[in-house]
Amino acid sequence: MSAQETTFGKAITAGLRAALAEDEKVVLMGEDIGTLGGVFRITDGLMQEFGPDRVVDTPLAESGIMGTAVGLAYRGYRPVVEIQFDGFVYPSFDQIVSQVAKTYYRTRGAVPMPVTIRIPFGGGIGSPEHHSESPEAYFVHTAGLRVVSPSTPQEGYDLIRAAIASNDPVVYLEPKRRYHDRGPVDLSAPLRPMGPAAVVAEGTDVTLVAYGPLVKTCLQAADAAAADGISIDVIDLRSLSPVDYGLIEASVRRTGRLVIAHEASRTGGLGAEIAATVTERCFHWLEHAPVRVTGFDIPYPPAKLEHHHVPDLDRILDGVDRALGRPNSLDSIDPFAPPTPLAADGTERG
Amino acid sequence: MSAQETTFGKAITAGLRAALAEDEKVVLMGEDIGTLGGVFRITDGLMQEFGPDRVVDTPLAESGIMGTAVGLAYRGYRPVVEIQFDGFVYPSFDQIVSQVAKTYYRTRGAVPMPVTIRIPFGGGIGSPEHHSESPEAYFVHTAGLRVVSPSTPQEGYDLIRAAIASNDPVVYLEPKRRYHDRGPVDLSAPLRPMGPAAVVAEGTDVTLVAYGPLVKTCLQAADAAAADGISIDVIDLRSLSPVDYGLIEASVRRTGRLVIAHEASRTGGLGAEIAATVTERCFHWLEHAPVRVTGFDIPYPPAKLEHHHVPDLDRILDGVDRALGRPNSLDSIDPFAPPTPLAADGTERG
Amino acid sequence: MGTVSLNTPPTGMPHVPEPDLHQVLTPEGHRRPDHDLDPWLEDVTATMLAGLHRDMTVIRRLDTECTHLQRQGELALWPPLLGQEASQVGSAAALQREDYVFPSYRENGVAYLRGVDPLGLVRLWRGSTYAGWNPAETNLAAQQIIIGAQSLHAVGYAMGLRRDHSEAAAISYFGDGATSQGDVNEAMVFAASYHVPVVFFCQNNHWAISEPVTLQAKRHIADRPWGFGIPAMRVDGNDVLAVLAATRRALERARNGGGPTFIEAVTYRMGPHTTADDPTRYRSKDEVEAWRAKDPIDRVEAHLAATLTGSDRDARGGALTIEAVREASAAAADEMAAALRTGLAGLVDPGPEALFEHVYAEPHHELARQREHYRLYLAQFDGEQLEAGTR
Amino acid sequence: MGTVSLNTPPTGMPHVPEPDLHQVLTPEGHRRPDHDLDPWLEDVTATMLAGLHRDMTVIRRLDTECTHLQRQGELALWPPLLGQEASQVGSAAALQREDYVFPSYRENGVAYLRGVDPLGLVRLWRGSTYAGWNPAETNLAAQQIIIGAQSLHAVGYAMGLRRDHSEAAAISYFGDGATSQGDVNEAMVFAASYHVPVVFFCQNNHWAISEPVTLQAKRHIADRPWGFGIPAMRVDGNDVLAVLAATRRALERARNGGGPTFIEAVTYRMGPHTTADDPTRYRSKDEVEAWRAKDPIDRVEAHLAATLTGSDRDARGGALTIEAVREASAAAADEMAAALRTGLAGLVDPGPEALFEHVYAEPHHELARQREHYRLYLAQFDGEQLEAGTR
Ligand SMILES: Cc1ncc(C[n+]2csc(CCOP(=O)(O)OP(=O)(O)O)c2C)c(N)n1
Ligand SMILES: Cc1ncc(C[n+]2csc(CCOP(=O)(O)OP(=O)(O)O)c2C)c(N)n1
Ligand SMILES: [Mg+2]
Ligand SMILES: [Mg+2]
């Protein structure tokens, strides 16, 4: 174990470098990843090191990138595609959903699709529109894909290597606002599997599940809560699809309370899936309904407003308070008030 | 009220005809919708009636269709776009997610996007690949869109008119395997709002929520269950986004049990959202965790296998049995067995 | 909206000579000289023509059989290729084993020539499987239903070929309608940018379901690639020799580092779009009849009838007469059809285990759980069972 | 992968004359005759040239100011248009009020000429809003960041114009990189198919972030539209008169039922892609310097200096000398900059209510609920508040 301190971004670079070195079938493709080294410099130096045949600047067309990656996989390559920002993945959505995700099934296993799709995602860096999205739910709902998101430099390194080594297509979501975070990274770590989640802070009162950029915020929340005498079990998912439910269940059986945090919009987000599944599997242990702390059901807002949208420490703690039945923002709402179905004329009685 | 008996498909045609007649800004666009009247004949005769300026055959390019619809909306039109089959919507996903859904927000209300996106969806008709998908979760997760799905000819007529009349973009999901179902349709019905769900069978033991193609199956299940002495409250969502939770809550507060059925894959499907939300709002009333009866987390399978994938009467009844704690398929599974987190080496202890 | 004729290019439009329609065999079976194609047809013999005749005949029979099987309820659907035999046979005959083919749903003739068992096509089109063949064995990608998507796959594959310094080429088949899709245009951008060994083979059969090619393209399709930096050729797609020659030429260019080529094979879909389609709703009988006169098999027959000298010999040394050609082709078609019908009886529908197989290449605990739950569910009934699996 | 020169078209490639680069004003300021463009410049006077000089100067100042403001932390980001002033001013000057513009993120000069308040641009680029202006007031669509998407919007708008028998036209701006996107190609397909009054205005500034135009296109961009049935013209994008004339000509064609036109304005992005970019990583100083010699403002100045007769008068009847032109332009730029700086002080960041507004045009009970919950949440703190709303 020879861990060295480095940034999250550089840890991913190191993982890419290792993958390029280990397997000549690994090819990186994307816009501006070659000469420039990517707009976030994640591929910095790799074209120089491995040549423009291994690290390929592509024309400006995401469907083209994804579709040619599929063709390269047909030829036995392991393409690693960079999507420049989260909001630019949609032009390639068809190739992802109908080709990358389904070719292995379509060919009954004759043609694997070991395509890794790297997407810097999430907000918090003051970017313009389309540069701060959290599209993970679309991919989690798509059978045939795996979805992972690291939360630390070490995970960044481990998971990119595991994603590239996997014979399944993997959407690898990089928490872009953590690129400059530093942490120890063991470059000689053995290839670890993508699946297992991790308890990153131990606690007994409530289970707090997050992934990617919000893991750090949740750890801060756990610290802050500890000062208030609340003990939070923080779980870092790492793999968003499939989810390591066993670990969450084990925690929830102890705490009886679950909070899930993500930046993506609430409705149909991963939080819903985790809440539903944990409720199914731990109904008898739950003392309170799972609580979701998420982005709102709005387009990602302009940068000056993003601090409202992206869950922060306070909103997460408010969620924890709700799960624990402590004083919280929704106390004035009577949970026993009669529900208000929409009137037949569409007006809202509420 | 002058209801006449007609098919589901023809009811939608009638709704389109009414919309075309009422507002000259309504324009229908899509592949093969003009001369041919659409591959399902939903636009049959409309080009002849309203002219090729109102019912427009487009080049074979879904992004092009959606993108030009956005431009028409900029010009004050109300485009109604037909996507030929569910699986062909993805090439237009970028225009839907980044343009149709967000332009109103982007322009702070200056440019409404009254675009209706008609998609025949779902399986059960023995089609080839890409012709049987249920993509609703993608749209439900996309803020700025509304999503509806009718389950009867009358709803088909009502909802298409309401969708076109709405100043918001609406994804209108047509349960294609019900196109030939017949039912009474009142063509003189006033414009009804899209929002409210409906209790389509009253019951007291369990709440069964469905939409589109599975509503009929759920009604059959309710009938079958009644013979067994089980009384099911069947709710037809109609609007998938937003969901009329008030109606569901009211029902669940009576029954204490919830089953949600859909064809789409389970993980990240609408069932997860409804289960999570109802658990949040009705935790104290729930006697059992909400049960989901859904398609599996697989690509839509070949036609000869689809009867396994699409929930049928028996699978829905099995779900009802689970919600009620009656003998069911999962009885051999001990819910109190310890959970099995993934081992750090990725192997599954389970 | 009416349309203004684009025949006279407005000012500012570069005056480009329309690509000729290259034709080598006229509908009457006359051999025409073609400066560009003749060099690629020097090895053509009567025996070879007889072979092309046989392949087209077998494929037409395959198509007819499958159309019948659909009517009989054996298949769920079938997309006839009637009329397009020369385009499919001529192009496929030019391919080598190591070349890789990315087809649409209509290249069932090409598939046959790649060695796909007709029963595989039957299994595919009856809905038993999405895998009508094994791409790894046939160098034929899975059929593509998403219009145009495969054009990018071919380019990506060709990027790999170029990296591997392979002498093989990739070929992508698509229709006239597909040219409107972004993907096909992006495929041309990537192919030109990376200068890869790929052939874009567009069968312009004049219709995309009910939409005429004129709705998709205001100029000939073969006019478009040039602007992307890709040479193109417009050939008579009902002329098996012209198609063969053009494809050979394009493949040769690909193998020699000459980069991508685009071929527009001008042909006609004589049948419905699929067996679910009713073409009388959108096109005239006259149009169809006019194309019947250009039948791809007839013209080879007419040519052979006119040119067989009596001294030609077939592969086994027998006299190669036009009757012998017809008989041999018919016999091959009969044989294929008989095998198909026999095999049909033995086809077994897939069981529920196929649902969960090959979704992922590696273990997936949540899907394994769903599979197990479904096994338990099915176990309640008498019928189909799902085996208990390790995952 | 090396690339093979495509300068000599391989066999089978139709030999099309390369579209000339139309130029009316040389970098030295000489007026060159251009058969195609001259008819569109008959009304050009010294006063008009002075006006174009002023607009370019103001826009350059706007660009410089905003670049500074970004460095000072007032803006989150800014995409400089330095070097592209002639392309933006020349094209925008040709537009009428009722024409509708679909810009990318870089058309901040065009936006200014459409009447957008520079403060609107500041609010947009500092991240206060996505709505830097009201499209309904400016006939300028919201800026588009998704590369190429707006090209389809322009075509759709033009479909509407045609239906309305309007005499207006739509114009879509995009870059050289955008031409690789499926959307831009589909836009050409639709525009040609429906023969709509749209102008595709491509600013080929030679770079898409770090990628040279040669990665996107192996031929001139203006070579591509022809194959779609769309006339195209390649103009010197640093020549404001050439751009003006070409755009006028394209718009006139559109208004007269002549359908779409494509203009490639050959220019250069002198600055970084955005203020977040470091162009020294991917291009040489020499290249930039070579383009500096083709500066769009300088050449108008050179031209005016050489041609002003002394008898020319400005709008107010004053003597129109080159010094007067320079002074007037600088004064206008100062005025704009001063107003901008003043306005800046008064800008207020949006409050949280803006989060939930205009997501939907009609009531949405679930979003109203989220808003209400967030109001209750915020109410716990001292700072920002969200008003209790009916929904
Ligand atoms: C993305 C997508 N959109 C729509 C369809 C439905 N569709 C199937 S075939 C077809 C027409 C294709 O025409 P063409 O490309 O000319 O090929 P052909 O069928 O004539 O061989 C259409 C619209 C599809 N399969 N995929
Ligand atoms: C769909 C999409 N992909 C990627 C990007 C990231 N991106 C922003 S600008 C740009 C380059 C655009 O180049 P070009 O079209 O030449 O316009 P220019 O910036 O030179 O004006 C890229 C790749 C984007 N905005 N949208
Ligand atoms: Mg066709
Ligand atoms: Mg550019």
Side-chain angles (χ1 to χ4, degrees):
Chain A
M1 173 91 176
S2 58
Q4 59 189 72
E5 183 89 357
T6 186
T7 65
F8 204 140
K10 290 268 165 270
I12 300 173
T13 311
L16 292 170
R17 180 178 294 111
L20 282 162
E22 279 158 22
D23 184 349
E24 60 172 21
K25 290 295 183 191
V26 172
V27 172
L28 273 48
M29 352 173 24
E31 297 157 8
D32 305 295
I33 69 163
T35 314
L36 183 65
V39 295
F40 289 110
R41 307 290 185 269
I42 303 301
T43 54
D44 196 17
L46 298 179
M47 189 193 82
Q48 290 75 5
E49 197 172 333
F50 295 95
D53 266 19
R54 306 283 309 282
V55 181
V56 186
D57 271 331
T58 62
L60 207 180
E62 287 77 10
S63 189
I65 299 171
M66 207 60 72
T68 51
V70 169
L72 280 161
Y74 255 103
R75 180 74 195 163
Y77 281 87
R78 308 183 84 82
V80 182
V81 165
E82 173 176 308
I83 295 292
Q84 201 162 79
F85 279 87
D86 31 61
F88 309 148
V89 72
Y90 306 122
S92 65
F93 201 70
D94 177 59
Q95 286 284 350
I96 295 176
V97 167
S98 296
Q99 311 300 333
V100 175
K102 295 191 172 78
T103 298
Y104 190 68
Y105 193 70
R106 180 177 304 145
T107 61
R108 287 195 62 71
V111 183
M113 277 290 132
V115 179
T116 301
I117 304 173
R118 293 180 42 233
I119 312 179
F121 87 124
I125 63 165
S127 281
E129 205 182 355
H130 309 291
H131 289 71
S132 305
E133 313 220 334
S134 296
E136 61 270 24
Y138 298 127
F139 303 118
V140 167
H141 184 54
T142 304
L145 301 178
R146 293 176 188 269
V147 185
V148 300
S149 184
S151 77
T152 65
Q154 182 72 54
E155 283 181 18
Y157 178 74
D158 291 345
L159 286 176
I160 192 66
R161 289 179 64 214
I164 296 172
S166 170
N167 286 319
D168 288 319
V170 180
V171 177
Y172 176 90
L173 297 162
E174 307 180 2
K176 66 170 91 82
R177 72 180 147 122
R178 305 296 183 204
Y179 275 145
H180 299 291
D181 285 7
R182 302 185 68 84
V185 177
D186 177 9
L187 295 181
S188 62
L191 211 60
R192 297 205 185 98
M194 290 181 288
V199 175
V200 289
E202 292 195 10
T204 51
D205 296 332
V206 57
T207 304
L208 176 57
V209 172
Y211 52 89
L214 285 192
V215 171
K216 183 172 175 179
T217 317
C218 287
L219 285 170
Q220 291 163 345
D223 274 351
D228 259 356
I230 302 166
S231 162
I232 306 185
D233 212 40
V234 181
I235 292 181
D236 174 4
L237 281 187
R238 292 179 179 166
S239 174
L240 282 51
S241 179
V243 164
D244 180 3
Y245 280 111
L247 196 74
I248 304 176
E249 287 171 61
S251 173
V252 169
R253 285 188 183 197
R254 290 194 311 268
T255 63
R257 310 189 184 255
L258 173 65
V259 177
I260 310 137
H262 57 64
E263 296 187 21
S265 288
R266 172 190 176 90
T267 295
L270 185 54
E273 179 59 43
I274 294 176
T277 300
V278 171
T279 303
E280 285 159 16
R281 302 187 190 173
C282 298
F283 189 68
H284 298 294
W285 288 269
L286 282 176
E287 309 272 354
H288 189 280
V291 168
R292 290 182 276 167
V293 182
T294 70
F296 303 111
D297 287 344
I298 61 174
Y300 197 89
K304 293 274 182 192
L305 291 166
E306 66 180 339
H307 62 288
H308 290 288
H309 183 67
V310 175
D312 60 8
L313 189 139
D314 284 327
R315 276 175 67 203
I316 290 169
L317 287 177
D318 184 58
V320 166
D321 287 340
R322 272 186 278 151
L324 285 166
R326 286 164 45 99
N328 69 73
S329 64
L330 302 186
D331 276 346
S332 63
I333 295 178
D334 173 11
F336 293 92
T340 53
L342 298 179
D345 68 358
T347 56
E348 290 152 39
R349 296 204 203 94
Chain B
M1 174 91 178
S2 58
Q4 59 189 70
E5 183 91 358
T6 186
T7 65
F8 204 140
K10 290 266 164 274
I12 300 172
T13 312
L16 292 170
R17 181 178 292 112
L20 282 161
E22 278 158 22
D23 184 349
E24 60 172 21
K25 290 295 183 190
V26 172
V27 172
L28 274 49
M29 350 172 27
E31 297 158 8
D32 306 294
I33 68 163
T35 314
L36 184 64
V39 296
F40 289 110
R41 307 289 186 269
I42 303 301
T43 54
D44 196 16
L46 297 179
M47 189 193 82
Q48 290 75 4
E49 199 173 331
F50 294 94
D53 266 19
R54 306 284 309 282
V55 182
V56 185
D57 271 330
T58 63
L60 207 181
E62 287 77 10
S63 189
I65 300 171
M66 207 61 70
T68 52
V70 169
L72 280 161
Y74 254 103
R75 180 73 195 162
Y77 281 88
R78 308 183 83 84
V80 182
V81 164
E82 175 176 307
I83 296 292
Q84 201 163 77
F85 279 87
D86 31 62
F88 310 147
V89 72
Y90 307 121
S92 65
F93 201 70
D94 177 59
Q95 287 284 347
I96 295 177
V97 167
S98 296
Q99 311 300 333
V100 174
K102 296 191 172 78
T103 298
Y104 190 67
Y105 193 70
R106 179 176 306 144
T107 61
R108 288 196 61 71
V111 183
M113 278 290 132
V115 179
T116 301
I117 303 172
R118 294 180 41 233
I119 313 179
F121 87 123
I125 63 165
S127 281
E129 205 182 354
H130 309 290
H131 289 70
S132 304
E133 313 220 333
S134 295
E136 60 270 23
Y138 299 127
F139 303 118
V140 166
H141 185 54
T142 304
L145 300 178
R146 294 176 187 268
V147 185
V148 301
S149 185
S151 78
T152 65
Q154 182 71 53
E155 283 180 18
Y157 178 74
D158 291 345
L159 285 176
I160 192 65
R161 289 177 64 213
I164 296 171
S166 170
N167 285 320
D168 288 320
V170 181
V171 177
Y172 176 91
L173 297 161
E174 307 180 2
K176 66 170 90 84
R177 72 180 146 120
R178 306 295 184 204
Y179 275 146
H180 298 291
D181 285 7
R182 302 183 68 85
V185 177
D186 176 8
L187 296 182
S188 61
L191 211 59
R192 296 204 186 98
M194 289 182 289
V199 175
V200 290
E202 292 194 9
T204 50
D205 296 334
V206 57
T207 304
L208 177 57
V209 172
Y211 52 89
L214 286 191
V215 172
K216 183 173 175 179
T217 317
C218 287
L219 285 170
Q220 291 163 344
D223 275 350
D228 258 358
I230 301 166
S231 163
I232 306 185
D233 212 39
V234 181
I235 292 181
D236 175 3
L237 280 187
R238 292 179 179 166
S239 174
L240 282 52
S241 180
V243 165
D244 180 2
Y245 280 112
L247 196 74
I248 304 175
E249 287 171 58
S251 173
V252 169
R253 287 190 182 194
R254 290 193 311 268
T255 64
R257 309 188 185 256
L258 173 65
V259 177
I260 310 137
H262 57 65
E263 296 187 22
S265 287
R266 172 190 176 89
T267 295
L270 185 53
E273 179 59 43
I274 294 176
T277 299
V278 171
T279 303
E280 285 159 16
R281 301 188 191 173
C282 298
F283 191 67
H284 298 295
W285 287 270
L286 282 176
E287 309 271 354
H288 190 280
V291 169
R292 291 181 276 167
V293 183
T294 70
F296 304 111
D297 287 343
I298 61 174
Y300 197 90
K304 294 273 183 194
L305 291 165
E306 66 180 337
H307 63 286
H308 290 288
H309 182 67
V310 175
D312 62 6
L313 189 137
D314 284 328
R315 274 176 68 204
I316 289 170
L317 287 177
D318 184 57
V320 166
D321 287 340
R322 272 187 277 151
L324 285 166
R326 287 164 44 101
N328 68 71
S329 65
L330 303 185
D331 276 345
S332 64
I333 294 178
D334 172 10
F336 294 92
T340 53
L342 298 178
D345 68 356
T347 57
E348 290 152 43
R349 299 205 200 94
Chain C
M1 289 186 289
T3 46
V4 174
S5 165
L6 276 165
N7 290 342
T8 30
T11 359
M13 173 92 88
H15 290 265
V16 185
E18 285 208 356
D20 300 322
L21 181 72
H22 290 274
Q23 191 184 60
V24 171
L25 268 188
T26 69
E28 298 74 29
H30 302 316
R31 186 79 154 71
R32 281 176 56 183
D34 184 290
H35 177 74
D36 290 311
L37 297 184
D38 284 342
W40 303 94
L41 294 171
E42 280 165 10
D43 63 342
V44 172
T45 60
T47 318
M48 189 172 152
L49 273 167
L52 294 169
H53 183 274
R54 182 200 57 227
D55 287 345
M56 290 196 287
T57 306
V58 172
I59 282 168
R60 179 166 293 181
R61 176 72 74 82
L62 174 62
D63 189 64
T64 322
E65 287 289 327
C66 287
T67 303
H68 287 325
L69 288 177
Q70 195 281 334
R71 305 282 179 225
Q72 292 160 15
E74 289 282 352
L75 300 190
L77 194 77
W78 179 257
L81 61 88
L82 190 70
Q84 302 180 216
E85 295 87 354
S87 289
Q88 299 205 9
V89 169
S91 56
L95 296 168
Q96 302 292 326
R97 175 70 186 74
E98 23 343 323
D99 296 329
Y100 210 104
V101 180
F102 291 84
S104 83
Y105 44 86
R106 205 179 294 285
E107 278 68 65
N108 295 299
V110 174
Y112 178 78
L113 293 183
R114 293 304 282 180
V116 169
D117 184 341
L119 279 177
L121 297 175
V122 163
R123 294 181 62 250
L124 180 60
W125 289 102
R126 75 188 337 201
S128 294
T129 182
Y130 294 145
W133 54 86
N134 183 339
E137 287 167 10
T138 51
N139 275 12
L140 174 69
Q143 75 155 2
Q144 186 55 250
I145 289 181
I146 301 296
I147 300 295
Q150 74 278 16
S151 60
L152 282 166
H153 306 166
V155 173
Y157 192 92
M159 287 164 68
L161 285 174
R162 187 164 169 174
R163 282 206 172 76
D164 298 342
H165 303 287
S166 164
E167 293 221 325
I171 183 169
S172 163
Y173 286 86
F174 49 86
D176 45 304
T179 61
S180 293
Q181 286 283 11
D183 274 5
V184 171
N185 294 280
E186 293 187 10
M188 289 197 272
V189 169
F190 278 65
S193 189
Y194 297 128
H195 202 72
V196 295
V198 70
V199 179
F200 296 108
F201 193 88
C202 175
Q203 285 170 82
N204 173 1
N205 65 7
H206 283 80
W207 291 94
I209 311 187
S210 73
E211 300 189 339
V213 61
T214 48
L215 179 69
Q216 319 281 349
K218 287 292 157 191
R219 299 197 60 87
H220 290 317
I221 287 169
D223 290 342
R224 202 183 299 173
W226 169 79
F228 290 83
I230 298 177
M233 190 174 232
R234 192 161 185 262
V235 301
D236 183 340
N238 284 12
D239 172 355
V240 71
L241 287 183
V243 174
L244 173 70
T247 313
R248 282 177 163 184
R249 185 160 163 272
L251 288 167
E252 198 59 24
R253 179 182 293 141
R255 297 188 210 293
N256 293 335
T261 304
F262 193 108
I263 297 170
E264 177 190 359
V266 182
T267 178
Y268 195 80
R269 192 194 79 211
M270 296 297 290
H273 171 69
T274 67
T275 45
D277 179 41
D278 173 10
T280 64
R281 290 180 71 108
Y282 53 79
R283 67 185 190 184
S284 73
K285 228 176 173 162
D286 288 356
E287 179 179 308
V288 182
E289 285 316 309
W291 277 94
R292 200 178 307 281
K294 305 182 194 168
D295 188 81
I297 302 184
D298 286 356
R299 76 175 74 177
V300 171
E301 254 183 70
H303 178 72
L304 281 174
T307 56
L308 282 176
T309 59
S311 63
D312 299 287
R313 302 274 136 210
D314 68 15
R316 293 192 214 106
L320 196 63
T321 61
I322 182 65
E323 292 74 24
V325 169
R326 274 201 207 104
E327 270 167 39
S329 293
D334 287 346
E335 201 180 317
M336 181 280 303
L340 179 63
R341 291 269 169 183
T342 313
L344 203 61
L347 286 187
V348 187
D349 281 346
E353 62 286 345
L355 281 171
F356 301 98
E357 282 168 7
H358 308 302
V359 179
Y360 293 96
E362 302 189 1
H364 192 289
H365 55 92
E366 285 297 315
L367 189 57
R369 185 183 180 107
Q370 290 186 12
R371 185 188 184 287
E372 174 61 9
H373 285 194
Y374 193 55
R375 185 186 72 77
L376 292 171
Y377 170 82
L378 283 183
Q380 305 174 117
F381 304 94
D382 288 339
E384 289 166 300
Q385 296 289 328
L386 194 58
E387 276 165 42
T390 44
R391 50 178 32 95
Chain D
M1 289 186 289
T3 47
V4 173
S5 164
L6 276 164
N7 291 340
T8 31
T11 358
M13 172 93 85
H15 290 265
V16 184
E18 284 208 355
D20 300 322
L21 181 73
H22 290 274
Q23 191 185 61
V24 172
L25 268 189
T26 68
E28 299 73 30
H30 302 316
R31 185 81 155 73
R32 283 175 55 181
D34 185 290
H35 177 75
D36 290 312
L37 296 185
D38 285 341
W40 303 95
L41 295 172
E42 281 164 10
D43 62 342
V44 173
T45 60
T47 317
M48 190 171 154
L49 274 167
L52 294 168
H53 183 274
R54 183 200 56 228
D55 287 346
M56 290 195 288
T57 307
V58 172
I59 282 166
R60 179 166 294 181
R61 176 72 73 82
L62 174 62
D63 189 63
T64 321
E65 286 289 328
C66 287
T67 304
H68 288 324
L69 288 177
Q70 196 281 334
R71 307 276 179 230
Q72 293 159 17
E74 289 282 353
L75 301 190
L77 195 77
W78 179 257
L81 60 87
L82 190 70
Q84 303 180 216
E85 295 87 355
S87 290
Q88 299 205 7
V89 169
S91 56
L95 295 169
Q96 303 292 327
R97 176 71 187 73
E98 28 335 331
D99 296 329
Y100 211 103
V101 180
F102 291 84
S104 83
Y105 44 86
R106 205 179 294 286
E107 278 67 65
N108 295 301
V110 174
Y112 178 77
L113 293 183
R114 293 303 282 177
V116 169
D117 184 339
L119 279 176
L121 298 174
V122 163
R123 295 182 62 248
L124 180 60
W125 289 102
R126 74 189 338 203
S128 294
T129 183
Y130 294 145
W133 55 85
N134 184 338
E137 286 166 9
T138 50
N139 274 11
L140 173 70
Q143 75 155 359
Q144 185 56 250
I145 289 181
I146 301 295
I147 300 295
Q150 74 278 18
S151 60
L152 282 166
H153 307 165
V155 173
Y157 193 93
M159 287 164 67
L161 286 173
R162 186 164 170 172
R163 281 202 175 78
D164 297 342
H165 303 288
S166 164
E167 293 219 328
I171 184 168
S172 162
Y173 286 86
F174 50 84
D176 46 303
T179 61
S180 293
Q181 286 283 11
D183 274 6
V184 171
N185 293 280
E186 293 187 10
M188 290 198 270
V189 170
F190 278 66
S193 189
Y194 297 128
H195 202 72
V196 294
V198 71
V199 179
F200 296 108
F201 193 89
C202 175
Q203 285 169 82
N204 174 1
N205 64 6
H206 284 81
W207 292 94
I209 310 186
S210 74
E211 300 189 339
V213 61
T214 48
L215 179 67
Q216 318 284 345
K218 286 291 157 190
R219 296 196 62 86
H220 290 317
I221 288 169
D223 290 342
R224 203 185 296 174
W226 169 80
F228 290 83
I230 298 177
M233 189 174 236
R234 191 159 184 264
V235 300
D236 183 339
N238 285 12
D239 172 354
V240 70
L241 287 183
V243 174
L244 173 71
T247 314
R248 282 177 162 185
R249 183 160 164 272
L251 288 167
E252 197 59 25
R253 179 183 290 142
R255 297 189 209 293
N256 292 335
T261 304
F262 192 107
I263 297 171
E264 177 189 0
V266 181
T267 179
Y268 195 79
R269 192 194 79 212
M270 296 297 290
H273 172 69
T274 66
T275 44
D277 179 40
D278 173 10
T280 63
R281 290 179 71 108
Y282 53 79
R283 66 185 190 186
S284 73
K285 229 176 171 162
D286 288 356
E287 181 179 307
V288 181
E289 285 315 309
W291 277 93
R292 200 179 305 280
K294 304 182 193 169
D295 188 81
I297 302 184
D298 286 355
R299 76 175 74 177
V300 170
E301 257 183 66
H303 179 70
L304 281 174
T307 56
L308 281 177
T309 59
S311 62
D312 298 286
R313 301 274 136 209
D314 69 15
R316 293 193 213 104
L320 198 62
T321 62
I322 182 64
E323 291 74 23
V325 168
R326 276 200 205 105
E327 269 168 39
S329 294
D334 288 345
E335 198 180 318
M336 181 279 303
L340 179 63
R341 292 268 168 184
T342 313
L344 204 62
L347 286 186
V348 188
D349 281 346
E353 61 287 345
L355 282 170
F356 302 98
E357 281 169 5
H358 308 301
V359 179
Y360 293 96
E362 303 189 0
H364 191 288
H365 54 91
E366 284 298 316
L367 189 57
R369 185 183 181 107
Q370 290 185 14
R371 185 188 184 286
E372 173 61 10
H373 285 194
Y374 193 55
R375 185 187 71 78
L376 292 171
Y377 171 81
L378 283 184
Q380 305 175 116
F381 304 94
D382 287 338
E384 288 167 303
Q385 297 289 329
L386 195 57
E387 274 166 43
T390 44
R391 49 180 28 94

